[in-house]
Amino acid sequence: MGHIQLKQVSKSFGNIEVIPPIDLDIDDGQFVVFVGPSGCGKSTLLRLIAGLEDVTTGSIVIDGRDATAVQPARRGLAMVFQSYALYPHMSVRKNIAFPLKMARVPQDEQERLVEEAARVLNLTGFLDRRPGQLSGGQRQRVAIGRAIVREPAAFLFDEPLSNLDAALRVGMRLEISELHERLKTTMVYVTHDQVEAMTMADKIVVLRAGVIEQVGTPLELYRNPQNTFVAGFIGSPRMNLVEGPDAARHDAHTVGIRPEHVDVSSGSGMWTGTVGVSEHLGSDTFFHVTVKDLSQPLTVRAGGEVDLHYGDTIHLTPKLNHLHRFDDRGLRIT
Amino acid sequence: MARSVTTSRKTMTTLFAGTLGLLIFFPVLWIVILSFKSEGDAIKAPLEVLFSTGWTAESYSAVQARSDYPKHFLNSVVIAFGSTLLGLLIAIPAAWAMAFVPAKRTKHVLMWMLSTKMLPPVGVLIPIYLIYRDLGILDSRIGLVFVLMMINLPIIIWMLFTYFREIPGEVLEAARMDGASLREEIIHVLAPMAIPGMASTALLNIILAWNEAFWTLNLTSAKAAPLTAFIASYSSPEGLFYAKLSAASVMAIAPILVLGWFSQKQLVRGLTFGAVK
Amino acid sequence: MATNASRAAARLMISPAVVLLLGWMLVPLGLTLYFSFLRYNLITPGANPFIGWENYYWFLTDPSFKAAMINTLLLVGGVLLITVIGGTMMALLLDQPMWGQGVIRIMVIAPFFVMPTVSGLVWKNMFMNPVNGIFGHLALGLGMEPLSFFSEIPLLSIIFIVSWQWLPFATLILLTALQSLDQEQLEAAEMDGATWVSRFIHVMLPHLARAITVVILIQTIFLLSIFAEILVTTNGGPGTSTTNLTYLIYVSSLLQFDVGMGSAGGVIAIILANIVAIFLMRMIGKNLDA
């Protein structure tokens, strides 16, 4: 069980309101990702759910029970911190066993659960080491181990992968997703990396300046971004946003077209431009194209074998059924 | 990063630095040597001293027999450890509160505390002397413990503060999430992480208190005189007994020399108030 | 989770330290200030009348005050000069690759842990004594007249002893600062074609500037209060040639029992120390924000 509801929850530090009142429903078993640029309040929101910060107004309901004033430990949630927050003076074994020890779980039961968690997380050989003797990925797994032994109602992850290098990050991303598939426990995950959000989430919550910009599945956000912020934030490389006469022609203040939704031709097209930098990824090639009438260059995706070079002329045609239109407030026009 | 340095260059550096180091260290080495010589040998020319064959520990027994050396040693111990312990007792809660529950004024409070350390002792010598005289605690261990605690309190608070501040808040939050009560959080998580810092602080403070030589000289005469004052009594012609002066000096500095070598890092942190890392 | 309850608890936890330090600062300071305006001598009992600025007048016009001020400046300045330059060079040397660095470092640091009375007496007797001291023996060996340090160059001798004690402090701090210098900065400078000398002037020295300032300020605070070294070697003499401000105040208050006069001197010492302290505190304060 792990159904979390936020009802008109807000947070202020002194006179500064960092999170205006928010309503949010996290269903049992869901993998929910809070994503947004740094300083958008996503970590604060997670800490409010954890109980590490007091809410200013509103209430937090966990499994039908009002948990607003409940101590963090009593909320039945486990948290994995950005810095892992392992106890530096304890062995891996003691780190993982700590929440069990605090819950007065019998010694032999503790040992069994720790061994079990270590097995799942490939930590069996490291149980008697100190955190300082482990690599970043291993520390990360210890932190997760410490969270799973409690069998919490929900896991909270606060940017857990941001201290890992790129290769490890991809591996850990898979491990966490697998863990979710196996445990079916609610997970709330905070990140600033939209790729993590897209690949892991059942439901993404996009935040900016403490305000929820949009909530939806990864594909919903990809297909129907509700505003220019979400449009620019979700998807890689970023969506091209074009203003001016080209947008006006579509009755919009801004039109957006993703790099993968532009047809590239060396013959003719709607826009004519000059190839700038091209990034060859093997499977795909991204061209940064300067178009005469547009104020900023467009990014477009082409096949891996397209043979165009710096300074070549290129013709671009957006796929009109994939065009996103936004009004002068940046909101989607439907 | 690693570029090979020629062996010859490294040898030269080692020789040069070693010689310089030995020169700086020489006075300490010298009194150790003299302390094991007879009074007659000790005043000979340096080379003769080195190659005179007689080694004896008689000066050590002479110093101990004379002038109740153990009493002064004990005074030093009581004063250094007493002032440190008392200081920790008062400083730990204060540093703790400032590090973990910082308020807007915390920085100002901390700076003000430091500023009291800048007060020249001679500026407050007279009132303290008169107050102590009227209270009848001149030349008493209690009096010295208090003064030394007061003059080092800012350093203790400051050092503890910098150590406590380095304890990551997330680890404490993790403990809270893991279900630790405040008491359990302190016993299982905070204390083990804070104790090394407290030990370092205590160490540096013991060294400072042991070597303090303004208040200990001015507020004691006989009864409570620690080793600083005991050694000072050798400034009279008695100092011409080189072997005995050496033996007394070695005994006075040896314990702290050993402690000091362990505390090089803390020394920088403690005496620069964190301004140099 | 800084709740109101924990704020109250925090205030309670700080208060013993604050009260003690406040008392330690205000009570003696107030009394010193008060005494400095009284005619108050312990050997002439009776009323201690208020005499205004008279103590200050006599203290400041006393020729030994002028001498003490000059001695204090020379002592502080001389020791700073020796320890900062020597310490920088020692730090640069110890930062080089060598064998047994730990041992050498320990030898260099040792003098700082020698109590002031011991270093004063050891230098005075075992080294600077013209008859039995090592320097005397050395001079004789070289066919020179042994120098009577404390009668011919008393202040220099004390500057030398104090420098020996404080050189390790400067070395240690500057070495720590030097080791925190980003190696890549030096390598970048090397790639840019900087010679060792220009690397020192343009990269190392600016990096050390802050640490050097800290060394100067902190040492000044301590050096203004040099006392034990003078007491066990020269007793401020010959004449007033090694009397610094601290020692002068000690003489007038605890040897001549002139509380009023000594207090006036104390107030002046406090003012002097505060001038240095203001700069030091500013540096520390800046660091606290970072």
Side-chain angles (χ1 to χ4, degrees), chain B residues 3 9 14 20 24 90 107 111-112 123 127 150 211 218 228 231 242 246 256 260-261 264 267 271-272 274, chain C residues 20 28 32 90 96 99 105-106 113 115-117 121 125-126 164 172-173 190 218 250 281 287-289:
Chain B
R3 237 181 309 176
R9 182 162 164 215
T14 309
L20 218 55
I24 292 175
I90 291 162
K107 186 187 157 183
M111 294 304 286
W112 165 74
M150 287 313 301
N211 287 343
N218 280 316
T228 44
I231 297 289
Y242 282 11
S246 297
I256 242 50
W261 283 333
Q264 296 173 32
L267 187 101
L271 288 181
T272 63
Chain C
L20 276 172
T32 301
M90 280 305 293
Q96 304 296 316
W99 286 288
R105 206 173 133 138
I106 278 175
F113 301 115
M115 54 177 62
T117 44
L121 281 177
N125 292 310
M126 277 75 153
W164 179 73
L172 195 59
I173 286 175
E190 208 179 335
I218 290 175
Y250 159 77
M281 298 297 287
N287 197 61
L288 202 60
D289 294 328

Side-chain angles (χ1 to χ4, degrees), chain A residues 15-36:
Chain A
N15 293 324
I16 303 153
E17 188 175 58
V18 289
I19 296 180
I22 273 181
D23 284 304
L24 187 67
D25 227 39
I26 298 168
D27 289 334
D28 184 32
Q30 246 182 354
F31 197 125
V32 175
V33 175
F34 295 170
V35 67

Side-chain angles (χ1 to χ4, degrees), chain C residues 37-253:
Chain C
F37 293 109
L38 300 184
R39 177 174 296 131
Y40 185 178
N41 194 311
L42 294 176
I43 26 182
T44 49
N48 301 317
F50 181 82
I51 51 167
W53 298 96
E54 204 171 296
N55 285 321
Y56 290 91
Y57 176 76
W58 291 118
F59 190 83
L60 289 171
T61 52
D62 184 348
S64 45
F65 170 72
K66 196 179 153 202
M69 279 305 289
I70 292 171
N71 288 337
T72 306
L73 284 180
L74 287 177
L75 180 58
V76 173
V79 174
L80 282 179
L81 202 67
I82 294 172
T83 52
V84 169
I85 293 175
T88 309
M89 295 200 301
M90 280 305 293
L92 285 173
L93 180 62
L94 289 178
D95 200 32
Q96 304 296 316
M98 68 179 82
W99 286 288
Q101 197 176 31
V103 179
I104 295 172
R105 206 173 133 138
I106 278 175
M107 291 199 296
V108 172
I109 289 162
F112 190 71
F113 301 115
V114 175
M115 54 177 62
T117 44
V118 168
S119 50
L121 281 177
V122 166
W123 280 105
K124 175 189 174 190
N125 292 310
M126 277 75 153
F127 288 86
M128 294 175 168
N129 182 307
V131 184
N132 295 323
I134 284 188
F135 290 158
H137 284 295
L138 275 181
L140 281 179
L142 295 172
M144 293 189 298
E145 189 69 15
L147 187 63
S148 178
F149 286 87
F150 288 105
S151 45
E152 285 170 47
I153 46 163
L155 191 60
L156 261 180
S157 305
I158 289 186
I159 290 175
F160 179 82
I161 296 173
V162 177
S163 298
W164 179 73
Q165 291 181 282
W166 284 92
L167 181 68
F169 176 78
T171 304
L172 195 59
I173 286 175
L174 294 175
L175 184 60
T176 310
L178 205 55
Q179 283 168 345
S180 75
L181 173 60
D182 185 1
Q183 281 303 310
E184 289 189 353
Q185 262 188 47
L186 285 177
E187 287 171 348
E190 208 179 335
M191 295 297 289
D192 290 342
T195 61
W196 194 90
V197 176
S198 48
R199 287 208 297 277
F200 175 73
I201 294 175
H202 295 294
V203 183
M204 291 183 184
L205 216 52
H207 178 78
L208 285 183
R210 182 186 166 76
I212 290 177
T213 318
V214 170
V215 167
I216 290 176
L217 293 173
I218 290 175
Q219 282 200 27
T220 306
I221 296 280
F222 282 95
L223 295 177
L224 283 174
S225 305
I226 289 291
F227 172 75
E229 292 85 343
I230 298 174
L231 179 77
V232 297
T233 53
T234 62
N235 268 316
T240 53
S241 58
T242 56
T243 299
N244 67 354
L245 193 56
T246 299
Y247 201 81
L248 180 67
I249 297 167
Y250 159 77
V251 169
S252 52
S253 52

Side-chain angles (χ1 to χ4, degrees), chain A residues 73-126:
Chain A
R74 301 265 163 80
R75 297 189 182 195
L77 308 174
M79 183 146 163
V80 175
F81 291 85
Q82 182 171 12
S83 66
Y84 318 141
L86 301 180
Y87 308 119
H89 54 286
M90 296 182 197
S91 64
V92 169
R93 187 188 303 279
K94 286 194 172 156
N95 259 286
I96 298 177
F98 189 74
L100 301 172
K101 188 173 163 189
M102 291 302 105
R104 310 280 185 277
V105 172
Q107 191 70 36
D108 49 345
E109 177 75 0
Q110 278 186 31
E111 272 164 37
R112 196 184 60 75
L113 286 167
V114 171
E115 295 287 343
E116 166 73 14
R119 199 180 47 73
V120 171
L121 293 163
N122 288 325
L123 286 169
T124 309
F126 305 100

